[in-house]
Amino acid sequence: MKKSLFNYLLLLFCTCGLFISCSDDDDNSEKTTIGYLGKDISGNVELTRPTDTKKVILNVSADKAWTLYAGSTVENIDLDTPCASGNGKEDAIELSTDPSKRYIFMFKNSDGQALLAEKLLPVHGYNFRDLGGIKNKEGKFVRWGKLFRTDEMNKLDNADLAYLASTGLKTVVDFRTDAEKGGGFGGVMPESYDIHPSTVQDSICLKINAGNIFRMRYWAV
């Protein structure tokens, strides 16, 4: 119940579109291009980052040779120097990346290629998620690193702020009321003013008053 009061939607606006398509055609050229190509292999690989270490952990479920590339954004993924590779299924591979920075990766095997990053960001804000990688009915994917949601940004520490700054986050949209931010409801909710990374340029308040959700009524049947 309490968590529903702290819902945010964090929006990072960019000039490029929010969706990127996945082609069903095989890429017959030798040159690797950035993006989704071939079959949808997004379910063959997963990235996680523990909050305490922020180290990137890779898990591969497809039994095929693969290559992984990385960059700070989709646009600057380095295709010249793979950051990891393997010949099949792998569990809990720890990648040699800077724990203070976020990366977007491209995973490639003989079936195709897909973009990915950790869905649950390793910060102390509750349920801080990247909505990238979601596939729609048209076969397009939400772009990684463009749209986030979270609760409790007041709990971010310095390591969290450095990591979030590396995402380029620019705009925060806050749906809470003044009582939710400043403390209210008879002391049930403490003060919880946001702490933003240095990259945030705009903080937009769109108050949504859900009414008194603490008062429950029971009706006899």
Side-chain angles (χ1 to χ4, degrees):
M1 186 72 73
K2 174 185 173 183
K3 296 300 181 187
S4 64
L5 295 175
F6 290 92
N7 285 334
Y8 296 91
L9 182 63
L10 305 184
L11 300 176
L12 175 58
F13 295 102
C14 57
T15 56
C16 60
L18 184 61
F19 293 96
I20 186 169
S21 63
C22 180
S23 171
D24 291 328
D25 298 328
D26 291 333
D27 182 15
N28 295 318
S29 64
E30 293 184 1
K31 183 180 179 180
T32 300
T33 57
I34 298 174
Y36 294 88
L37 288 176
K39 297 179 181 178
D40 179 7
I41 61 169
S42 56
N44 296 163
V45 60
E46 180 185 35
L47 283 172
T48 58
R49 294 185 77 164
T51 303
D52 54 347
T53 66
K54 291 184 172 54
K55 293 183 178 180
V56 180
I57 307 298
L58 178 72
N59 294 283
V60 180
S61 58
D63 193 15
K64 294 178 180 290
W66 54 271
T67 308
L68 188 72
Y69 306 89
S72 59
T73 65
V74 170
E75 292 74 19
N76 68 11
I77 290 176
D78 184 0
L79 300 179
D80 295 325
T81 309
C83 63
S85 61
N87 293 317
K89 296 180 180 180
E90 298 279 359
D91 292 324
I93 303 173
E94 186 176 300
L95 302 182
S96 298
T97 54
D98 185 342
S100 69
K101 296 180 180 179
R102 192 175 195 233
Y103 299 85
I104 307 297
F105 298 86
M106 189 178 81
F107 178 82
K108 181 178 181 180
N109 64 22
S110 59
D111 285 336
Q113 60 189 48
L115 300 171
L116 71 153
E118 65 276 13
K119 289 182 177 294
L120 183 63
L121 277 63
V123 297
H124 293 90
Y126 176 75
N127 197 21
F128 203 127
R129 291 186 176 273
D130 189 335
L131 301 184
I134 297 174
K135 188 177 182 179
N136 67 11
K137 294 186 298 183
E138 287 73 33
K140 295 183 177 182
F141 295 81
V142 178
R143 290 179 180 269
W144 289 96
K146 304 300 180 184
L147 185 64
F148 305 90
R149 61 85 49 213
T150 189
D151 300 344
E152 299 181 342
M153 289 187 71
N154 59 302
K155 295 184 178 179
L156 300 176
D157 61 21
N158 289 335
D160 297 336
L161 293 173
Y163 164 85
L164 289 175
S166 74
T167 70
L169 182 66
K170 291 182 174 62
T171 302
V172 175
V173 180
D174 189 346
F175 293 129
R176 297 176 303 165
T177 63
D178 292 337
E180 290 176 74
K181 290 182 286 188
F185 300 101
V188 175
M189 299 175 62
E191 289 187 2
S192 56
Y193 292 107
D194 284 350
I195 304 172
H196 293 161
S198 59
T199 53
V200 171
Q201 299 174 1
D202 297 296
S203 181
I204 302 170
C205 184
L206 298 178
K207 303 173 186 178
I208 296 179
N209 191 339
N212 188 356
I213 64 174
F214 290 102
R215 184 174 59 190
M216 305 295 291
R217 290 187 177 183
Y218 298 91
W219 300 91
V221 178

